[in-house]
Amino acid sequence: MSDMKISSIIPVYNGAETVSGVVDEIHAEFADGAIEVVLVNDGSSDGTADVLARLEPRFETLTVLNHRANKGYGAALKTGIRAAAHPIIVITDADGTYPEDRVVDLLARVDDGAEMAVGARTGADVHIPW
């Protein structure tokens, strides 16, 4: 992978129990600090704001933004994308349902010239309701 500048946008709604693990996984994949992580707390009521406040000082490339009230997934994405510092945007969820170790595979497609790469959750353990 070339010297890509990457921002990972993670909308969080009531994700106090899972978001730390997702952030840790992303930072493990990009241990060299090559990724900015933007967490958007979308009006959570389960203590997510406290978890994110404890996470923010741990990583110098992590930013936490807060919506006072829940505005929805799309609004949280827009808030994060507007705040992103880098031209390549990776979107993942805070619930741990995406394998963060596969982000590098998607970015390899972009590095090969694709303008967009989309991953899908597949496999026997995936149960996404219609």
Side-chain angles (χ1 to χ4, degrees):
M1 217 169 21
S2 66
D3 294 328
M4 290 183 178
K5 299 292 185 187
I6 306 158
S7 294
S8 178
I9 311 304
I10 307 174
V12 188
Y13 179 68
N14 290 342
E17 293 191 20
T18 56
V19 68
S20 293
V22 171
V23 171
D24 287 341
E25 285 181 39
I26 289 172
H27 278 96
E29 290 301 314
F30 296 91
D32 59 358
I35 194 165
E36 166 199 38
V37 176
V38 179
L39 295 160
V40 182
N41 178 18
D42 192 27
S44 298
S45 60
D46 70 340
T48 293
D50 294 333
V51 171
L52 298 183
R54 287 192 303 272
L55 274 176
E56 194 167 20
R58 287 182 45 208
F59 304 99
E60 89 179 46
T61 59
L62 187 140
T63 301
V64 174
L65 305 172
N66 290 288
H67 289 170
R68 282 190 249 172
N70 181 263
K71 295 181 179 185
Y73 188 77
L77 286 177
K78 288 177 189 177
T79 296
I81 291 168
R82 285 185 192 117
H86 302 304
I88 297 175
I89 304 292
V90 172
I91 297 169
T92 192
D93 290 342
D95 61 4
T97 57
Y98 287 105
E100 305 308 328
D101 61 338
R102 301 301 303 271
V103 170
V104 175
D105 297 334
L106 289 173
L107 291 172
R109 302 292 184 178
V110 174
D111 202 28
D112 287 343
E115 290 186 23
M116 183 177 192
V118 179
R121 292 177 274 195
T122 60
D125 293 331
V126 176
H127 305 287
I128 302 170
W130 287 98

